[in-house]
Amino acid sequence: MKTLNKKSITVDAIVNAPIENVWHYWTEPEHIIQWNNASADWHTPKATNDLRVGEKFLSRMEAKDGSFGFDFTGIYTKIIPNKAIHYVLEDDRRVAIKFESKGGTTEIQETFDAENVNSLELQRQGWQAILDNFKSYVENRIP
C-alpha cells in the first residue's frame, strides 16, 4: 500500500555520548529490544538487523498486555557508518536518520514520511518518545 501523504515529520535529540557508542546502541538487536518503545506499556521482544544496503531489519513491537502487536520492518537504502541510515518501510514511506558528532555528544535527527492513519502530532509524539527512550537508554550506560 503506497502512501499518498507527502508530509514529513522530523524528531531530534542530543545524546550525551560519543557517536561510536550511539551508533552501536542504535544498530545492535540486543540493544534495540531494550529501548525501542514509546511508553512503558509497550516493548520490543524481538529485533533483527542486517545493516547493509538492500537488506532488512525487523522490530516486533507489542503491548505488554498482549492486546496488540506489529512488525516494524524496512529495507536499507543508504548507510554511512556513524553518519546516516536511510530506509524504506513496507508501505513505501521513507526514513532518513542523521547522526552528527558534537564533541562528546551526538545529535540525532530522524525525518520520516507521515502515514495517513494517525494525526501528524500523534506520529511526531510517538517517534519522539522512542528517540527520547533511546537517549535515556544510552546515557544510562555511559560512565
Side-chain angles (χ1 to χ4, degrees), residues 85-115:
I85 297 173
H86 294 200
Y87 58 86
V88 178
L89 297 169
E90 285 185 324
D91 62 2
D92 291 329
R93 292 185 298 132
R94 300 198 174 277
V95 179
I97 308 160
K98 183 168 66 171
F99 301 84
E100 186 175 345
S101 180
K102 303 228 177 198
T105 67
T106 304
E107 182 177 359
I108 302 172
Q109 184 179 74
E110 198 170 7
T111 302
F112 60 97
D113 293 341
E115 42 95 343

Side-chain angles (χ1 to χ4, degrees), residues 1-5 90-93 116:
M1 174 174 127
K2 282 195 171 191
T3 181
L4 300 176
N5 190 340
E90 285 185 324
D91 62 2
D92 291 329
R93 292 185 298 132
N116 294 319

Side-chain angles (χ1 to χ4, degrees), residues 49-131:
N49 191 24
D50 190 346
L51 190 63
R52 296 180 294 163
V53 172
E55 298 302 327
K56 298 178 182 180
F57 69 86
L58 174 143
S59 294
R60 176 69 189 169
M61 302 174 88
E62 296 179 356
K64 287 183 178 176
D65 67 5
S67 63
F68 188 74
F70 63 94
D71 289 340
F72 185 80
T73 62
I75 297 175
Y76 292 112
T77 58
K78 179 179 181 180
I79 297 167
I80 303 171
N82 296 329
K83 298 230 182 262
I85 297 173
H86 294 200
Y87 58 86
V88 178
L89 297 169
E90 285 185 324
D91 62 2
D92 291 329
R93 292 185 298 132
R94 300 198 174 277
V95 179
I97 308 160
K98 183 168 66 171
F99 301 84
E100 186 175 345
S101 180
K102 303 228 177 198
T105 67
T106 304
E107 182 177 359
I108 302 172
Q109 184 179 74
E110 198 170 7
T111 302
F112 60 97
D113 293 341
E115 42 95 343
N116 294 319
V117 177
N118 297 295
S119 72
L120 295 176
E121 184 58 22
L122 186 62
Q123 291 176 70
R124 189 197 66 72
Q125 288 173 356
W127 285 61
Q128 185 67 56
I130 292 170
L131 186 54

